[in-house]
Amino acid sequence: MEAHPIHRAKRENAMKHQKQLLTVIILLSALLLDACSFSVEVLSTPTSLPPTFTSLPPTATRTPVPITLVPPSATPTLISIRSDTLSMLEIFMSVDGGELPRSLAFTPDSAVLATAGGNDEDFAIRLWDVTSGQSLGTLDGHTGIVWGVAFSPDGQMLASVSSDKTAKIWDWRNKTLLKSLEFPGDAVSISFSPNGQTLAVGGVDSPQGQVQNAAVWTFSVGSWKPLLKLPEYIDITAMAYSPDGRWLVGGGTSRNVQVWRTSDGTSVFTLNHAHQVSKAAISPDGSTVTTATCATTVKNECTEGGIWLWSLPTGKLIQKLAGFPNVVESVAFSVDGSSLIAASRDGTLRVYTTSNYQPVFNATPPDGNGVLALSPDGGLLATGSNSGAVHIWKIVYRP
């Protein structure tokens, strides 16, 4: 049956419109493809992966750096100095420690090393970027030998003690003095408590009659108000906080090292030695105190240096280690507690494994003087020398 003419006409018109629309669509598609033409380049596969970079998000804000401050370089990931890596320990950098380095300290992030000392002059505290060896400037203000330096646990402050009878607290980044504390005699040792709330200073106190007194003074960080005074004798050459902050050991020149309870200043043990003690360190687990001393003397001259090991919980002597050519000046435990590092006045550097206290490393740095410091991350060791140089050691892997 033939469709109605009107219906047929409508159908023909509809078909005509569809053809016209299809033509328009084809023309537009061709124009668009021509305008947006592109090519694809096949990249060759690299032989090694390119470095990746992490950028700050667009909304992040940057803390402005003062133009006088040279920020330290990013510290690379280092192999930890421990008993199983000591065979690869070597000097990789030396920096200027001034007239005579007597104290070394790393920032908590291990990026900066402070060197201090002096003898007749040059009492500046020097700051070094340990990645590049670049100088970050000096802290000037002491007028006598700087015997000790210590960074606060948050890395914001550096504290120093000197024979000028002061302890100074610095904003080391901006090279400004925050506080100067005065004492009756030489200030010789200094340490922040592990929580950063207390500063301990050891040194010479006012004499009483014929007795040369010494003490450890503690202060509240920030207000610098005095908290406790812990009495000893002659001088405080050795001082260290336990990792949990419960105990403070100090003493040395009197041949005694006291173990004080930090909560109230009570002396709970006295560690008696045959000779004077240079330095003390406490193991990372808080179980052991090690003291640097002399093992043998002839006509009041130390002919053999030694290390004594003590139980911190009981105050009992555990073991004596000897065999150094001269008095042991410095001691430190590795971060994992597997090793005990010691240096004597003649420059001998020796490391013992703490599993049986057998020596596993021995070296004699050029013109060494027995001063050392281990970085908090355990990857760097700094040693001083009589020539003024400070040598920085690390584990160097050579496949």
Side-chain angles (χ1 to χ4, degrees):
M1 180 177 179
E2 187 176 359
H4 192 279
I6 295 177
H7 293 164
R8 185 171 64 248
K10 287 182 178 180
R11 186 169 61 249
E12 290 174 354
N13 287 337
M15 291 176 64
K16 185 184 294 184
H17 285 305
Q18 287 177 353
K19 289 179 180 181
Q20 291 173 348
L21 182 60
L22 181 60
T23 301
V24 171
I25 291 173
I26 292 172
L27 289 172
L28 289 173
S29 298
L31 290 171
L32 287 172
L33 285 171
D34 182 64
C36 301
S37 62
F38 60 91
S39 61
V40 176
E41 180 183 1
V42 179
L43 300 175
S44 60
T45 303
T47 56
S48 62
L49 292 175
T52 58
F53 300 90
T54 304
S55 59
L56 290 172
T59 56
T61 58
R62 296 177 183 267
T63 302
V65 178
I67 58 174
T68 57
L69 172 64
V70 180
S73 305
T75 306
T77 301
L78 299 171
I79 301 173
S80 182
I81 298 171
R82 56 182 189 269
S83 59
D84 61 338
T85 62
L86 286 168
S87 61
M88 299 179 285
L89 182 63
E90 61 183 64
I91 295 172
F92 78 100
M93 179 190 299
S94 296
V95 298
D96 178 16
E99 183 183 17
L100 181 61
R102 297 181 185 271
S103 183
L104 309 170
F106 287 92
T107 50
D109 63 3
S110 303
V112 173
L113 173 68
T115 69
N119 196 38
D120 299 318
E121 55 185 7
D122 191 9
F123 309 123
I125 300 169
R126 290 168 166 80
L127 301 166
W128 300 95
D129 179 337
V130 297
T131 298
S132 67
Q134 181 181 8
S135 171
L136 300 178
T138 62
L139 304 175
D140 301 291
H142 281 297
T143 58
I145 294 172
V146 181
W147 292 109
V149 287
F151 285 97
S152 59
D154 63 4
Q156 299 302 309
M157 294 175 286
L158 172 70
S160 55
V161 284
S162 169
S163 59
D164 64 12
K165 303 181 182 180
T166 70
K168 297 186 185 298
I169 298 91
W170 311 82
D171 175 347
W172 63 272
R173 289 186 175 89
N174 293 309
K175 312 298 185 295
T176 56
L177 180 64
L178 301 176
K179 183 69 176 179
S180 185
L181 304 170
E182 297 183 357
F183 297 90
D186 289 13
V188 176
S189 52
I190 192 160
S191 181
F192 284 93
S193 62
N195 65 6
Q197 299 302 305
T198 304
L199 178 69
V201 177
V204 177
D205 197 5
S206 300
Q208 292 185 1
Q210 300 298 314
V211 178
Q212 178 67 59
N213 282 348
V216 172
W217 295 265
T218 64
F219 300 86
S220 177
V221 171
S223 69
W224 310 113
K225 293 181 179 179
L227 298 174
L228 297 171
K229 181 179 177 180
L230 313 174
E232 234 289 311
Y233 297 99
I234 307 179
D235 205 351
I236 308 292
T237 52
M239 191 171 69
Y241 273 100
S242 63
D244 60 8
R246 293 178 59 198
W247 312 105
L248 178 64
V249 300
T253 309
S254 67
R255 305 183 183 185
N256 296 329
V257 173
Q258 304 289 337
V259 179
W260 290 290
R261 191 166 52 212
T262 56
S263 59
D264 57 10
T266 299
S267 178
V268 293
F269 301 120
T270 300
L271 312 180
N272 301 112
H273 297 74
H275 304 287
Q276 294 181 0
V277 176
S278 305
K279 289 292 187 290
I282 300 177
S283 61
D285 64 2
S287 66
T288 307
V289 180
T290 182
T291 48
T293 185
C294 180
T296 306
T297 61
V298 175
K299 296 181 180 179
N300 295 322
E301 292 292 328
C302 183
T303 58
E304 182 184 22
I307 302 168
W308 289 20
L309 298 154
W310 306 81
S311 166
L312 182 56
T314 66
K316 301 295 184 182
L317 181 64
I318 300 172
Q319 192 170 348
K320 297 179 183 180
L321 305 175
F324 289 86
N326 208 321
V327 61
V328 178
E329 290 285 355
S330 303
V331 284
F333 283 95
S334 63
V335 173
D336 69 347
S338 69
S339 304
L340 174 61
I341 307 168
S344 59
R345 187 172 295 172
D346 65 295
T348 298
L349 179 66
R350 188 171 298 163
V351 185
Y352 299 83
T353 176
T354 55
S355 60
N356 56 13
Y357 291 107
Q358 292 299 306
V360 289
F361 179 87
N362 197 86
T364 306
D367 204 23
N369 68 354
V371 175
L372 68 80
L374 185 67
S375 64
D377 66 3
L380 297 172
L381 175 69
T383 58
S385 70
N386 291 315
S387 64
V390 173
H391 305 297
I392 304 177
W393 307 60
K394 69 177 179 179
I395 301 299
V396 179
Y397 176 65
R398 303 184 189 280

